[in-house]
Amino acid sequence: MIAVTPIRAKQDLTALPGNNAGGPGIAASGTSSAGRFRGALPAPLRPVDEAAEVRAITRGTIQASMEVLAGIRPVHQLARRLDPRCLSALQHRAALIRRELTRTGNPALARLHRNSVVRSVRVCEVSDGIYEASAVVVDDVRARAVAVRIERSKQVWRVVELVIG
Protein backbone atom coordinates (compact mmCIF):
# COMPACT_ATOMS: atom_id res chain seq x y z
CA MET A 1 0.00 0.00 0.00
CA ILE A 2 1.33 3.41 -0.92
CA ALA A 3 0.76 6.09 1.67
CA VAL A 4 1.18 9.76 0.91
CA THR A 5 2.24 12.12 3.64
CA PRO A 6 2.93 15.80 3.34
CA ILE A 7 6.61 16.58 3.29
CA ARG A 8 8.39 19.51 4.79
CA ALA A 9 10.12 21.98 2.54
CA LYS A 10 13.87 21.35 2.73
CA GLN A 11 15.61 24.14 4.57
CA ASP A 12 19.14 25.10 3.58
CA LEU A 13 21.00 25.33 6.89
CA THR A 14 24.02 26.98 5.31
CA ALA A 15 21.92 30.04 4.55
CA LEU A 16 21.05 30.59 8.22
CA PRO A 17 22.71 33.55 9.95
CA GLY A 18 25.79 32.60 11.93
CA ASN A 19 26.58 29.64 9.71
CA ASN A 20 29.91 30.03 8.04
CA ALA A 21 32.82 27.77 7.15
CA GLY A 22 31.72 24.90 9.40
CA GLY A 23 29.61 23.23 6.70
CA PRO A 24 25.87 22.65 6.67
CA GLY A 25 24.40 22.85 10.15
CA ILE A 26 27.80 23.29 11.85
CA ALA A 27 28.92 26.68 13.09
CA ALA A 28 32.56 27.74 13.13
CA SER A 29 32.83 26.83 16.80
CA GLY A 30 31.89 23.21 15.97
CA THR A 31 28.46 23.31 17.62
CA SER A 32 25.26 22.65 15.78
CA SER A 33 23.39 25.78 14.74
CA ALA A 34 20.06 23.95 15.04
CA GLY A 35 20.12 24.48 18.81
CA ARG A 36 20.33 28.25 18.38
CA PHE A 37 17.28 28.40 16.11
CA ARG A 38 14.82 26.28 18.10
CA GLY A 39 12.38 29.20 18.29
CA ALA A 40 12.31 29.64 14.52
CA LEU A 41 9.11 28.56 12.78
CA PRO A 42 9.39 25.41 10.67
CA ALA A 43 8.63 25.54 6.99
CA PRO A 44 4.93 24.94 6.25
CA LEU A 45 3.85 21.43 5.28
CA ARG A 46 2.39 20.95 1.83
CA PRO A 47 1.31 17.90 -0.13
CA VAL A 48 3.42 16.61 -2.96
CA ASP A 49 0.46 16.11 -5.27
CA GLU A 50 -3.20 16.96 -4.61
CA ALA A 51 -4.50 13.92 -6.53
CA ALA A 52 -2.22 11.63 -4.54
CA GLU A 53 -3.45 13.21 -1.31
CA VAL A 54 -7.08 12.67 -2.34
CA ARG A 55 -6.29 9.07 -3.32
CA ALA A 56 -4.79 8.37 0.11
CA ILE A 57 -7.69 10.01 1.94
CA THR A 58 -10.19 8.09 -0.18
CA ARG A 59 -8.43 4.78 0.44
CA GLY A 60 -8.40 5.33 4.20
CA THR A 61 -12.01 6.50 4.33
CA ILE A 62 -13.25 3.54 2.31
CA GLN A 63 -11.27 1.09 4.44
CA ALA A 64 -12.69 2.62 7.61
CA SER A 65 -16.23 2.55 6.16
CA MET A 66 -15.93 -1.15 5.40
CA GLU A 67 -14.73 -1.74 8.97
CA VAL A 68 -17.82 0.12 10.24
CA LEU A 69 -20.04 -2.19 8.17
CA ALA A 70 -18.16 -5.22 9.51
CA GLY A 71 -18.80 -4.00 13.06
CA ILE A 72 -15.16 -3.65 14.06
CA ARG A 73 -14.96 0.17 14.02
CA PRO A 74 -17.33 2.71 15.60
CA VAL A 75 -19.00 4.99 13.07
CA HIS A 76 -18.21 8.18 15.03
CA GLN A 77 -14.54 7.83 14.02
CA LEU A 78 -15.57 8.92 10.52
CA ALA A 79 -17.48 11.99 11.68
CA ARG A 80 -14.72 14.42 10.68
CA ARG A 81 -14.26 12.91 7.23
CA LEU A 82 -17.86 12.19 6.14
CA ASP A 83 -20.68 14.60 5.42
CA PRO A 84 -23.47 14.22 8.07
CA ARG A 85 -25.83 12.72 5.47
CA CYS A 86 -23.23 10.12 4.41
CA LEU A 87 -22.44 9.37 8.04
CA SER A 88 -26.09 8.68 8.91
CA ALA A 89 -26.55 6.50 5.80
CA LEU A 90 -23.47 4.46 6.73
CA GLN A 91 -24.68 4.15 10.32
CA HIS A 92 -28.12 3.03 9.11
CA ARG A 93 -26.65 0.38 6.79
CA ALA A 94 -24.40 -0.96 9.57
CA ALA A 95 -27.40 -1.17 11.92
CA LEU A 96 -29.42 -3.07 9.30
CA ILE A 97 -26.58 -5.57 8.85
CA ARG A 98 -26.27 -6.11 12.61
CA ARG A 99 -30.05 -6.49 13.03
CA GLU A 100 -30.33 -8.99 10.20
CA LEU A 101 -27.38 -10.96 11.56
CA THR A 102 -28.95 -11.25 15.02
CA ARG A 103 -32.35 -12.09 13.53
CA THR A 104 -31.21 -14.86 11.19
CA GLY A 105 -27.82 -15.96 12.49
CA ASN A 106 -26.79 -16.61 8.88
CA PRO A 107 -23.07 -17.57 8.81
CA ALA A 108 -22.66 -16.11 5.30
CA LEU A 109 -23.98 -12.79 6.58
CA ALA A 110 -21.49 -12.94 9.46
CA ARG A 111 -18.64 -13.08 6.91
CA LEU A 112 -20.00 -10.10 4.96
CA HIS A 113 -17.56 -7.15 4.95
CA ARG A 114 -15.00 -9.13 6.97
CA ASN A 115 -11.31 -8.75 6.09
CA SER A 116 -12.03 -6.03 3.53
CA VAL A 117 -9.08 -4.78 1.51
CA VAL A 118 -9.12 -1.80 -0.82
CA ARG A 119 -7.48 -3.17 -3.96
CA SER A 120 -7.40 -0.10 -6.18
CA VAL A 121 -8.47 3.55 -6.17
CA ARG A 122 -8.97 5.73 -9.24
CA VAL A 123 -9.29 9.50 -8.81
CA CYS A 124 -10.62 12.08 -11.26
CA GLU A 125 -10.70 15.84 -10.73
CA VAL A 126 -14.17 17.22 -11.54
CA SER A 127 -13.36 20.85 -10.84
CA ASP A 128 -11.08 22.86 -8.58
CA GLY A 129 -11.29 21.32 -5.11
CA ILE A 130 -13.75 18.56 -6.14
CA TYR A 131 -12.75 14.99 -6.94
CA GLU A 132 -14.62 11.80 -7.71
CA ALA A 133 -13.08 8.44 -6.99
CA SER A 134 -13.91 4.80 -7.49
CA ALA A 135 -12.45 1.85 -5.66
CA VAL A 136 -12.51 -1.94 -5.75
CA VAL A 137 -12.89 -3.58 -2.34
CA VAL A 138 -12.49 -7.31 -1.79
CA ASP A 139 -13.73 -9.08 1.35
CA ASP A 140 -14.26 -12.70 2.40
CA VAL A 141 -17.50 -13.06 0.42
CA ARG A 142 -17.18 -10.91 -2.70
CA ALA A 143 -15.65 -8.00 -4.52
CA ARG A 144 -17.54 -4.73 -4.63
CA ALA A 145 -17.28 -1.27 -6.10
CA VAL A 146 -17.31 1.94 -4.07
CA ALA A 147 -17.85 5.43 -5.44
CA VAL A 148 -16.86 8.61 -3.58
CA ARG A 149 -17.19 12.33 -4.17
CA ILE A 150 -14.80 14.36 -2.08
CA GLU A 151 -14.70 18.15 -1.79
CA ARG A 152 -12.35 20.58 -0.10
CA SER A 153 -13.97 22.98 2.34
CA LYS A 154 -11.89 25.27 4.53
CA GLN A 155 -8.65 23.37 3.79
CA VAL A 156 -10.25 20.06 4.88
CA TRP A 157 -11.27 17.23 2.54
CA ARG A 158 -14.80 15.95 3.21
CA VAL A 159 -16.63 13.04 1.57
CA VAL A 160 -20.04 14.29 0.39
CA GLU A 161 -21.13 11.12 -1.45
CA LEU A 162 -20.36 7.52 -0.54
CA VAL A 163 -21.95 4.67 -2.49
CA ILE A 164 -20.97 1.12 -1.55
CA GLY A 165 -22.06 -1.56 -4.01
Side-chain angles (χ1 to χ4, degrees):
M1 181 170 91
I2 299 172
V4 177
T5 56
I7 57 173
R8 209 175 283 247
K10 190 172 182 180
Q11 190 177 25
D12 185 14
L13 294 176
T14 59
L16 293 174
N19 245 0
N20 45 18
I26 304 297
S29 64
T31 61
S32 173
S33 63
R36 274 189 267 151
F37 297 105
R38 288 188 203 270
L41 295 175
L45 299 177
R46 58 180 190 262
V48 175
D49 180 20
E50 190 173 78
E53 179 185 18
V54 169
R55 188 176 302 111
I57 290 170
T58 301
R59 180 180 293 275
T61 303
I62 291 172
Q63 181 69 44
S65 298
M66 300 308 289
E67 291 170 3
V68 166
L69 293 178
I72 58 176
R73 178 186 290 266
V75 72
H76 68 81
Q77 288 184 357
L78 288 170
R80 294 183 67 192
R81 184 66 66 199
L82 293 179
D83 183 61
R85 190 176 48 79
C86 291
L87 189 68
S88 66
L90 183 66
Q91 187 173 18
H92 180 70
R93 183 171 174 168
L96 287 175
I97 291 170
R98 281 193 309 271
R99 186 174 71 189
E100 190 65 19
L101 180 61
T102 57
R103 188 180 69 83
T104 63
N106 187 352
L109 192 59
R111 290 188 2 238
L112 190 65
H113 303 293
R114 293 288 178 186
N115 300 321
S116 295
V117 176
V118 180
R119 292 287 183 198
S120 65
V121 177
R122 302 284 185 259
V123 175
C124 177
E125 184 176 15
V126 176
S127 67
D128 192 36
I130 300 173
Y131 284 82
E132 290 184 350
S134 62
V136 175
V137 179
V138 179
D139 59 30
D140 284 349
V141 179
R142 60 182 264 201
R144 63 184 73 238
V146 179
V148 172
R149 183 176 180 102
I150 185 168
E151 297 179 0
R152 184 197 306 266
S153 63
K154 299 178 184 171
Q155 302 301 319
V156 175
W157 290 103
R158 184 169 291 256
V159 174
V160 295
E161 282 294 326
L162 175 67
V163 179
I164 302 172

